[in-house]
Amino acid sequence: KSTIGDIIARRMGTYNFLDTDTILERAAGISIPEIFETEGEEAFRTAEAQVLDSVHAHVRIVVSTGGGLVMRNQNWSKLQTGLVVYLKVDPEVIMKRIEGTDRPLLQTDNPLETLKTLMEERKERYEQADVTVEIEEGMSVEDVADKCVRALHDFIDDNPPAWKQAKAKAAADGLDWVQ
């Protein structure tokens, strides 16, 4: 997510990229696994929400978040102030991509089954995203970024801002739009 978000922000020119996990680790001075170990998941989720509070009002940013952030209603409502992109990836592909990392929630006897359970629990929220981009095994980060940018453009084209709709309606009604 972080690599893709950074590429998309750079392609959009005047956008910045922020990763909530990176911001949280820098602010805490310890890694996410250490936060989970010393403070627990609830403390991590509270800190994660605070980080989102600090970044969500910015404009022209691409934000990468942890997968569980969407489960708190207040976080979800903040995300919805922008366009939300869901990178839909099979759990097996995710496991290959994160191999060698120490994801706290996946430190179980069967990480793949744990991941599948987490994804199922989060599925309803994920599927409420504005844009869903299906990622297939073997896609490069550039391929994924290309697919995301195309999907965002399509979404924006299909959902013009209210002022554009008002302008089109005024023109259709024979009214001159203020120039």
Side-chain angles (χ1 to χ4, degrees), residues 147-175:
K147 197 168 182 180
C148 288
V149 168
R150 275 193 305 274
L152 284 164
H153 279 290
D154 290 346
F155 178 83
I156 292 166
D157 287 346
D158 294 342
N159 298 280
W163 69 266
K164 281 191 176 179
Q165 293 171 333
K167 182 177 179 180
K169 183 178 182 328
D173 292 345
L175 300 173

Side-chain angles (χ1 to χ4, degrees), residues 116-129:
K116 287 178 180 178
T117 300
L118 288 170
M119 291 176 71
E120 187 59 36
E121 290 169 358
R122 300 167 179 175
K123 181 180 177 180
E124 183 180 343
R125 195 55 60 87
Y126 288 165
E127 290 179 348
Q128 293 176 35

Side-chain angles (χ1 to χ4, degrees), residues 10 22 26 31 34-35 44 55 70 72 74 77 90 98 101 110 113 120-121 125 138 142 148 157 159 168 178:
R10 282 188 276 118
T22 301
R26 285 186 185 150
S31 70
E34 290 171 308
I35 295 169
F44 168 76
V55 302
V70 300
R72 284 193 174 182
Q74 78 252 26
S77 64
D90 288 335
I98 65 171
T101 65
N110 191 337
E113 282 307 311
E120 187 59 36
E121 290 169 358
R125 195 55 60 87
E142 292 295 331
C148 288
D157 287 346
N159 298 280
V178 177

